[in-house]
Amino acid sequence: MKTLLKQAMLALLVLAANVAMAQPGVYMMNYGNMDNWVDRQIKESGLIGGATKHVWAIGPATTIIGDEAYVNQGGSPWASSNVMAKVVGITKTNTSVFPEKRGDGYCARLETRMEKVKVLGLINMEVLAAGSIFLGNVHEPIKGTKNPQKMLNSGIPFTKKPRAVMFDYKVQMSDRENRIKSTGFGSKEEIPGRDLHEVNLFLQRRWEDEDGNIYAERIGTMVVRFSEDCDWQNNASFTILYGNITDDPSYDESMMGLNSIRYGVNSKGESVPIQEVGWGDPNDTPTHLQLQFTASHGGAYIGSPGNILWIDNVKLVY
């Protein structure tokens, strides 16, 4: 009898939570206040100096010592460009996202910067790393710079349909007129155009075929780029557009168009492209939410050192 009563109470609580989320309002995303961080303390290989680096992750306030592969902690849905790599036996870290004190709590500071590693006779690399936080997780340790999107599991299961995404932000722009492309192999390239900060949100309805391929229809879309310095903008709200938005006046195919550049993990445990094959109906229910904040908009290894984007209090508006 007690067991049945507990089950009934749990069912009522779950129902109440779902009803509450369906009501109009503003809801902080899990760990979206950026106040709690995991401090990963990783000692790099002696060949590159052997320093202990702080590789921050958004999650419960705790410390992890050692070069173990990271798994999201405490139910945090957030991953970032802060990663540990092991290449030809050498442990190297990248940190381009940092907690920064703000008022009584913290915010996230996303920086675009150059990461260098030089080992005589083995490695001589300089890679551009753009600070980024996103919903999903990273497949650690990173073992090379080829196909970086395959190292990420992009998006989380999600079935709600918010009207907008809301967050606080601050912007510092690099003074460079053009961007740098530096993959660690060959010479740096100059890419025309200023480096912009970007926030993108995609709601998808995904499915998988018998071969493990992942397909998706785009249900909801929001992309915004920042191009000018500004101080803190609090509770900035950006509307999510639903369905086929190609006729919307704000539509920009280069930013909002269907794509297959991001990866997800299929039922076989394989990292495969998420192939967006069409626009979903506005009344469709999504299965996944992708949300990314990045200090550089041009893709992997492209950006301008000095670009900084601060993010805090990430919420969904219903």
Side-chain angles (χ1 to χ4, degrees):
M1 186 66 181
K2 288 184 179 179
T3 300
L4 290 175
L5 182 60
K6 287 181 179 178
Q7 290 176 343
M9 291 178 66
L10 179 59
L12 286 172
L13 288 172
V14 170
L15 177 61
N18 286 331
V19 169
M21 284 299 294
Q23 299 302 312
V26 179
Y27 297 88
M28 184 77 72
M29 294 196 67
N30 198 16
Y31 291 96
N33 61 11
M34 305 295 160
D35 286 342
N36 295 287
W37 295 75
V38 179
D39 180 8
R40 302 174 64 200
Q41 298 182 13
I42 300 174
K43 184 178 177 62
E44 294 185 333
S45 294
L47 282 171
I48 56 173
T52 296
K53 299 294 184 68
H54 296 269
V55 184
W56 301 98
I58 302 168
T62 189
T63 299
I64 299 175
I65 298 175
D67 62 350
E68 60 186 79
Y70 185 71
V71 177
N72 291 26
Q73 302 288 304
S76 173
W78 297 98
S80 78
S81 51
N82 293 355
V83 294
M84 173 186 66
K86 290 188 176 182
V87 183
V88 294
I90 295 170
T91 298
K92 177 76 175 71
T93 66
N94 168 68
T95 302
S96 49
V97 175
F98 305 85
E100 183 172 297
K101 191 70 176 172
R102 184 187 182 214
D104 295 330
Y106 289 84
C107 64
R109 185 178 83 247
L110 287 54
E111 298 186 4
T112 296
R113 50 199 287 154
M114 302 299 299
E115 276 289 337
K116 302 177 182 180
V117 55
K118 185 173 183 179
V119 181
L120 190 62
L122 289 177
I123 300 177
N124 186 4
M125 298 176 64
E126 189 173 22
V127 178
L128 186 134
S132 172
I133 60 175
F134 64 95
L135 297 178
N137 60 280
V138 178
H139 308 305
E140 280 195 347
I142 305 301
K143 297 179 180 178
T145 60
K146 185 179 179 180
N147 197 357
Q149 287 292 336
K150 192 172 183 179
M151 306 169 196
L152 314 178
N153 182 22
S154 181
I156 60 172
F158 190 84
T159 57
K160 304 285 191 291
K161 296 171 74 174
R163 292 190 298 107
V165 59
M166 178 183 288
F167 52 90
D168 305 344
Y169 71 94
K170 183 171 76 167
V171 170
Q172 176 179 303
M173 299 293 297
S174 168
D175 60 3
R176 291 183 57 89
E177 290 301 318
N178 293 312
R179 295 162 288 164
I180 295 171
K181 181 176 182 180
S182 183
T183 66
F185 297 97
S187 302
K188 297 188 190 73
E189 299 177 44
E190 189 162 289
I191 306 296
R194 293 201 73 194
D195 193 16
L196 308 178
H197 307 276
E198 180 174 301
V199 182
N200 56 68
L201 180 152
F202 303 124
L203 285 159
Q204 297 174 324
R205 184 179 70 84
R206 296 184 192 175
W207 67 94
E208 181 180 330
D209 68 12
E210 60 184 11
D211 296 320
N213 298 304
I214 297 177
Y215 300 97
E217 289 182 333
R218 177 83 65 76
I219 306 298
T221 305
M222 193 293 298
V223 182
V224 62
R225 288 178 177 171
F226 304 129
S227 59
E228 296 181 356
D229 289 359
C230 68
D231 204 348
W232 279 106
Q233 306 295 305
N234 296 324
N235 295 321
S237 181
F238 300 92
T239 300
I240 299 168
L241 304 175
Y242 280 88
N244 186 339
I245 62 171
T246 54
D247 290 331
D248 191 279
S250 67
Y251 180 71
D252 182 330
E253 185 173 4
S254 66
M255 296 194 303
M256 301 174 174
L258 303 177
N259 66 77
S260 300
I261 62 173
R262 301 186 186 190
Y263 278 68
V265 176
N266 65 16
S267 61
K268 306 174 188 291
E270 303 165 333
S271 181
V272 298
I274 303 164
Q275 303 176 55
E276 289 192 319
V277 295
W279 300 94
D281 188 277
N283 296 315
D284 288 346
T285 299
T287 63
H288 288 78
L289 169 64
Q290 294 180 335
L291 175 60
Q292 179 193 35
F293 300 84
T294 178
S296 294
H297 77 284
Y301 313 124
I302 298 174
S304 294
N307 256 26
I308 306 176
L309 174 65
W310 290 262
I311 294 295
D312 203 2
N313 296 323
V314 182
K315 306 165 188 172
L316 294 175
V317 182
Y318 291 86

